[in-house]
Amino acid sequence: MKKLVVLTGAGVSAESGFSTFRDAGGLWDKYPVEKVATPEGWRADPNLVTDFYNNLRHQLDEAQPNEAHRILAELEQDFDVTVVTQNVDDLHERAGSHHVIHLHGELRKVCSSLSPDDPRYIRTLPPHSEGVKHGELAGDGSLLRPWIVWFGEAVPNLEVAAEETERADVFVIIGTSLNVYPAASLIQYTRPGIPIYLIDPKPVRVPGSRHVEVIEDVASRGMQTLRERLKALE
């Protein structure tokens, strides 16, 4: 069974009605990055940051996986699929994908603000929960914070994602501008000569010299096209 590694970005979640951060009208237009997505913003006003991510979780409760998520999950019938996502939502999992690597954290998880990656203090909030209360503490006594990789923080799962990419027989990029590093560097870990596909409705500048087959479309229709092309590789 061929190994398919798929890097997904905000364009996959956008069709599910989940707000993207960078596009016009996105969340960064309403909330400055430095206030809600940096360690400095957290230290300055943890209540504001807590409210921001609570509201984002409520929005995620209303979002549903779309056709792109579903097709990716269905491809597990024919490929060994690993999804590497820049998204913090759980829409891939809810669609049925079993091997998802979250580069930027997971919105439904909260952790210690002292040791964010200590597994003893990471817990998952159930859907439709009230969220985190102001001043709520993690198990180590520090403030409970979102398990999100903020700007300026290390990406703990990058090495795992790079190792998966090195083993790929097919590499696919969906709904990301490839402007966000270090995620955008993953294409450099692909083995020479393997098929690489990129699905996005906008022109994307691909770093490096790899040959990439572009499907210029939104994620759901692009995945329908890709599914047909992948049948020839089985």
Side-chain angles (χ1 to χ4, degrees):
M1 186 177 279
K2 289 183 182 293
K3 183 167 187 61
L4 176 66
V5 176
V6 185
L7 173 64
T8 68
V12 176
S13 298
E15 290 186 75
S16 292
F18 193 64
S19 290
T20 62
F21 287 84
R22 292 173 178 275
D23 290 339
L27 290 172
W28 293 153
D29 286 351
K30 304 170 187 174
Y31 301 91
V33 174
E34 61 273 11
K35 288 192 175 183
V36 296
T38 63
E40 294 78 15
W42 168 256
R43 288 192 290 269
D45 195 343
N47 289 345
L48 172 70
V49 177
T50 294
D51 290 343
F52 173 81
Y53 288 95
N54 280 340
N55 289 333
L56 211 51
R57 291 185 196 101
H58 293 324
Q59 186 188 118
L60 180 55
D61 286 336
E62 303 304 318
Q64 295 296 325
N66 60 55
E67 187 71 359
H69 295 109
R70 287 190 287 271
I71 292 174
L72 258 181
E74 290 167 6
L75 286 174
E76 292 186 8
Q77 299 171 23
D78 302 307
F79 294 88
D80 173 10
V81 181
T82 296
V83 177
V84 179
T85 187
Q86 299 174 80
N87 301 334
V88 297
D89 59 63
D90 59 356
L91 295 172
H92 283 301
E93 289 91 342
R94 284 159 58 188
S97 287
H98 290 93
H99 190 194
V100 183
I101 299 170
H102 285 269
L103 291 178
H104 297 156
E106 298 180 53
L107 183 57
R108 291 208 190 276
K109 292 185 177 181
V110 289
C111 61
S112 156
S113 54
L114 191 62
S115 303
D117 294 315
D118 189 327
R120 294 177 296 173
Y121 309 122
I122 297 173
R123 61 184 176 90
T124 302
L125 301 174
H128 304 286
S129 74
E130 293 183 4
V132 178
K133 297 179 177 63
H134 291 176
E136 191 169 350
L137 302 180
D140 62 354
S142 68
L143 278 177
L144 204 58
R145 62 159 269 187
W147 195 59
I148 300 291
V149 178
W150 286 328
F151 288 93
E153 293 184 322
V155 180
N157 281 333
L158 183 65
E159 186 174 340
V160 178
E163 290 172 357
E164 291 290 305
T165 302
E166 287 175 337
R167 297 169 48 223
D169 298 305
V170 183
F171 188 67
V172 180
I173 303 159
I174 312 171
T176 174
S177 63
L178 293 180
N179 286 330
V180 180
Y181 282 83
S185 66
L186 283 178
I187 193 171
Q188 305 301 334
Y189 289 89
T190 57
R191 289 182 289 121
I194 71 164
I196 300 176
Y197 299 89
L198 186 149
I199 300 171
D200 202 277
K202 301 174 183 176
V204 175
R205 180 183 171 276
V206 180
S209 57
R210 300 291 199 277
H211 172 72
V212 177
E213 185 172 338
V214 176
I215 300 172
E216 198 166 306
D217 211 335
V218 295
S220 56
R221 289 196 303 265
M223 280 302 299
Q224 293 172 19
T225 302
L226 177 68
R227 180 170 54 187
E228 294 305 311
R229 296 187 187 179
L230 289 177
K231 285 180 180 179
L233 301 177
E234 293 174 22

